[in-house]
Amino acid sequence: MTAPLHEPHPSRPRLPDTQQGMRRRNLSRVMHTVNAEGPLSRAAVASRIGLTRAAVSTLVDELIRSGLLEELGPERPGRVGRPGSALALSGHGPAGIGAEIGVDHLAVCAVDLRGGIRAQAVRRGTNRGRSPEPVIAELTSLVRQVVAEAGGEGLWPAGLAVAVPGLVARDARTVVRAPNLDWHDTDLGALLPDDLPVTVDNEANFGGLAELWLGEGTPRDFLHVSAEIGIGGAAVVDGRLLRGTRGFAGELGHVPVRPEGPQCACGGRGCLEQYAGEEAVLRAAGLEPGEHRVEFLAERAAAGDEDVRRALQGAGTALGIALTGAVNLLDPETVVLGGALAALAPWLLPSLKAELARRTAGPACAVTVSRLGSQGPLLGAAHSVVRGVLDDPAAVGVRA
Amino acid sequence: MTAPLHEPHPSRPRLPDTQQGMRRRNLSRVMHTVNAEGPLSRAAVASRIGLTRAAVSTLVDELIRSGLLEELGPERPGRVGRPGSALALSGHGPAGIGAEIGVDHLAVCAVDLRGGIRAQAVRRGTNRGRSPEPVIAELTSLVRQVVAEAGGEGLWPAGLAVAVPGLVARDARTVVRAPNLDWHDTDLGALLPDDLPVTVDNEANFGGLAELWLGEGTPRDFLHVSAEIGIGGAAVVDGRLLRGTRGFAGELGHVPVRPEGPQCACGGRGCLEQYAGEEAVLRAAGLEPGEHRVEFLAERAAAGDEDVRRALQGAGTALGIALTGAVNLLDPETVVLGGALAALAPWLLPSLKAELARRTAGPACAVTVSRLGSQGPLLGAAHSVVRGVLDDPAAVGVRA
């Protein structure tokens, strides 16, 4: 299994425009309509997607047989005409399994087609410097545990998506570089379960997708900026993640902020990460990187620690400079601060917004804060599998 | 008429997946196949697009009736079976009319479906500080002249696309800001001919599209960097121009290079344009902006002028810094230097490439030079109309 279904790889040929391809796209249209507006009667679905009620009934029957839609029973009486049965996405069919390999933890969850989290498991403990095999073995055992738990509720896994803190190739399985794990050119696809369709992606990408799918009022064009140890970016353009030729797009952390600034591990100088990355901010606050984490900064800033607040103000300024370049290049509707940055927003935003405003003719790009925080990548991973089912329900086999 | 057909605006609903929509898409598929590989027989077209020969014949007949395809007569004898008649795009049907409003000139051309330039007209003379009405009146008279000349060869205008040196709103008619013309919030759509479908776009966008459609070996993911008076950028992602929410994406000229550098007209400081824009380079070479233009720099550099060469080296360094950020964000396959930059490439490239390389882990992004040079925007405009015809041939009415 390669790239997720909802974002066909450019090299994958489109379905020819045949009756069969049309049927598959119409099945998807029914699923998306019920997802966006359900529960809905067959007649309501038909009117929403502009097909006849008979055509929609055939599609709906197939989706019910595959366990993707459920009938909730007759609509409440009192309406004119024969009562229709309301359709909803199934709460007992396929589930998306999301997994996250963090520097300090592993997490797995199962999400049903309705978006409900039905099972989860977390293991704390550093993965820094561990080789991929034992880490993936542990992750796989968490996956088995979550799949078993979800299975107890009648759900079966439609696929597994894994978020990693590093650059992932467009094959959606090879980790090209994950500096904080010290993994290079690692084929995770070969280590992960082979009885499930598996997709591996960068955590910032899944964080951005989570914001697109689950954020409240998130537009279809935005730049998502997140931080755990490094700084990650994900550009969503017209509702699609911008991936780049090699899959490396969105590397905001390595945009030069001050071209003759400190040396960066990427080979550059004065990259954003040298001013707004975890280590840089901890050092600027007079704290020892390694002993403390980015979450700690929020506590200290809230408690009024002036050194921490000054360090975060400096990070906000650097973010504002890098984002000025990014906004000029991408022209997003908003910039969304996510991941650990969401918790630090009160102290980052004033200097960040001031910098953006003073560098922009006309109104500056809006900056908002994600409500998903550090849950974004895990939820984005699980939902990417669910979106794959909505996008091509015919590709999902029927299970008992 | 709003945005070009080949790039549907996000708010434009897709055609419903009906027989009628399928027919329109299949007509387009035939046109694109003949464009990419023609002349081809009906049988060859059928095998390329995976439809029956009978289905393709019906589509082809319709396209011949509309004047979009031509039969070249029987294929050369000697092949097995009944000889088929080779199909080609019509050289006498619709034409794309491209126009360019430059700071120092106006230009118009007509391109047929095969990509041949069939008529053109140019008027030299500055447009700086002139109000839009007389400029557009002059441009319109050039358009009439070119349309009449093309009409003499049996071509009729399928649409007019106008390249302007400024930011254009997503309505594809309003010039929001063209600093070098001193135009602001100008509705060019209201001034241009109303008997033709009209599209207005930024010259850098049309330059990037020209590179995509006409460049030799240009990939489907690249960043096009051009310069006339200002510096323009156009990001092409998976064969589509990245437009941004307001239509302002690709503003590479205002990416901060040195955050405390010289004040820029955009409101920022140390933007790329302050180091690599025409004025900045002329000043750095000890020349007077206004008296000389960017083309003059190439002559002087070629003649061995050390001041000019040093100025261009500095511009290359600044380009390298800004492009490092852009490459990190967009991950293009190549960067293409176009417009006036193409002529300056020999003196820009060494420092530009060195800067990109020293700031990049792993192999740096490739940098190539466009062959279209300053013809790009005009050709891109004309071809955008032609691509619109290929993308939805059914939308083009039949003319005598």
Side-chain angles (χ1 to χ4, degrees), chain A residues 88-115:
Chain A
L89 297 181
S90 170
H92 302 87
I97 312 297
E100 185 182 12
I101 302 173
V103 175
D104 292 331
H105 79 295
L106 299 174
V108 178
C109 75
V111 167
D112 64 25
L113 292 185
R114 298 172 182 177

Side-chain angles (χ1 to χ4, degrees), chain A residues 21-384:
Chain A
M22 197 163 99
R23 192 189 117 262
R24 288 176 74 159
R25 281 190 299 276
N26 282 332
L27 286 169
S28 170
R29 213 162 271 148
V30 171
M31 290 294 284
H32 276 287
T33 303
V34 174
N35 179 50
E37 304 184 54
L40 285 176
S41 68
R42 288 164 197 236
V45 172
S47 88
R48 295 292 192 293
I49 66 179
L51 291 176
T52 66
R53 184 157 165 185
V56 164
S57 262
T58 308
L59 298 165
V60 163
D61 290 342
E62 179 173 343
L63 292 167
I64 291 173
R65 274 198 306 278
S66 309
L68 303 182
L69 284 184
E70 287 178 6
E71 284 186 295
L72 300 181
E75 283 181 327
R76 65 175 194 284
R79 295 205 183 171
V80 176
R82 194 165 68 87
S85 178
L87 298 164
L89 297 181
S90 170
H92 302 87
I97 312 297
E100 185 182 12
I101 302 173
V103 175
D104 292 331
H105 79 295
L106 299 174
V108 178
C109 75
V111 167
D112 64 25
L113 292 185
R114 298 172 182 177
I117 301 175
R118 303 288 289 273
Q120 51 188 324
V122 178
R123 189 194 63 72
R124 306 253 160 231
T126 187
N127 298 313
R128 209 186 275 265
R130 295 178 73 200
S131 67
E133 290 77 7
V135 174
I136 300 302
E138 277 187 18
L139 189 76
T140 300
S141 100
L142 294 179
V143 167
R144 300 279 179 227
Q145 181 184 326
V146 163
V147 166
E149 195 181 329
E153 304 199 30
L155 291 157
W156 53 267
L160 167 66
V162 183
V164 295
L167 296 176
V168 177
R170 286 205 70 148
D171 66 3
R173 53 184 290 161
T174 306
V175 176
V176 177
R177 203 159 58 235
N180 292 306
L181 297 172
D182 204 20
W183 294 359
H184 300 272
D185 300 308
T186 306
D187 179 4
L188 286 198
L191 304 174
L192 286 159
D194 59 5
D195 54 348
L196 275 178
V198 171
T199 298
V200 180
D201 203 350
N202 176 269
E203 61 178 10
N205 283 349
F206 279 132
L209 289 171
E211 195 58 34
L212 173 68
W213 294 325
L214 309 173
E216 248 175 71
T218 307
R220 287 169 61 81
D221 286 88
F222 64 96
L223 178 61
H224 187 256
V225 187
S226 56
E228 302 300 327
I229 306 275
I231 289 185
V236 173
V237 176
D238 194 17
R240 288 165 55 97
L241 186 67
L242 194 151
R243 295 195 169 273
T245 305
R246 299 165 300 174
F248 300 174
E251 279 290 291
L252 188 75
H254 300 289
V255 167
V257 166
R258 295 186 181 94
E260 301 313 325
Q263 185 72 41
C264 182
C266 77
R269 299 194 77 90
C271 300
L272 175 60
E273 213 155 279
Q274 295 302 312
Y275 301 96
E278 183 185 75
E279 277 204 16
V281 177
L282 286 167
R283 268 189 229 286
L287 298 165
E288 198 51 51
E291 276 181 50
H292 300 290
R293 290 294 316 274
V294 70
E295 293 81 2
F296 176 74
L297 292 167
E299 289 167 35
R300 291 289 283 265
D305 184 323
E306 280 305 320
D307 290 335
V308 168
R309 289 189 173 192
R310 207 173 303 113
L312 290 172
Q313 185 187 8
T317 299
L319 277 162
I321 295 168
L323 286 171
T324 297
V327 166
N328 268 296
L329 285 167
L330 298 166
D331 184 25
E333 188 168 334
T334 59
V335 170
V336 183
L337 296 190
L341 292 182
L344 298 173
W347 305 282
L348 293 169
L349 276 182
S351 54
L352 190 167
K353 286 185 173 175
E355 202 62 33
L356 255 185
R358 83 179 183 105
R359 294 181 181 278
T360 311
C365 185
V367 184
T368 63
V369 178
S370 168
R371 297 203 197 187
L372 302 173
S374 50
Q375 281 291 91
L378 181 65
L379 289 175
H383 277 267
S384 75

Side-chain angles (χ1 to χ4, degrees), chain A residues 17 25 245-246 267 331 358, chain B residues 17 25 245-246 267 331 358:
Chain A
D17 229 334
R25 281 190 299 276
T245 305
R246 299 165 300 174
D331 184 25
R358 83 179 183 105
Chain B
D17 227 334
R25 281 190 299 278
T245 304
R246 296 165 300 175
D331 185 25
R358 81 177 184 107

Side-chain angles (χ1 to χ4, degrees), chain B residues 271-327:
Chain B
C271 300
L272 174 60
E273 214 154 281
Q274 296 303 311
Y275 300 97
E278 183 184 78
E279 276 202 18
V281 177
L282 285 167
R283 268 190 229 286
L287 298 166
E288 198 52 50
E291 276 182 51
H292 300 290
R293 290 293 316 274
V294 70
E295 293 80 4
F296 176 73
L297 292 167
E299 288 167 36
R300 292 289 283 263
D305 184 322
E306 280 307 318
D307 290 334
V308 168
R309 289 189 174 194
R310 207 173 303 111
L312 291 172
Q313 185 186 10
T317 299
L319 278 161
I321 295 169
L323 286 170
T324 297
V327 166

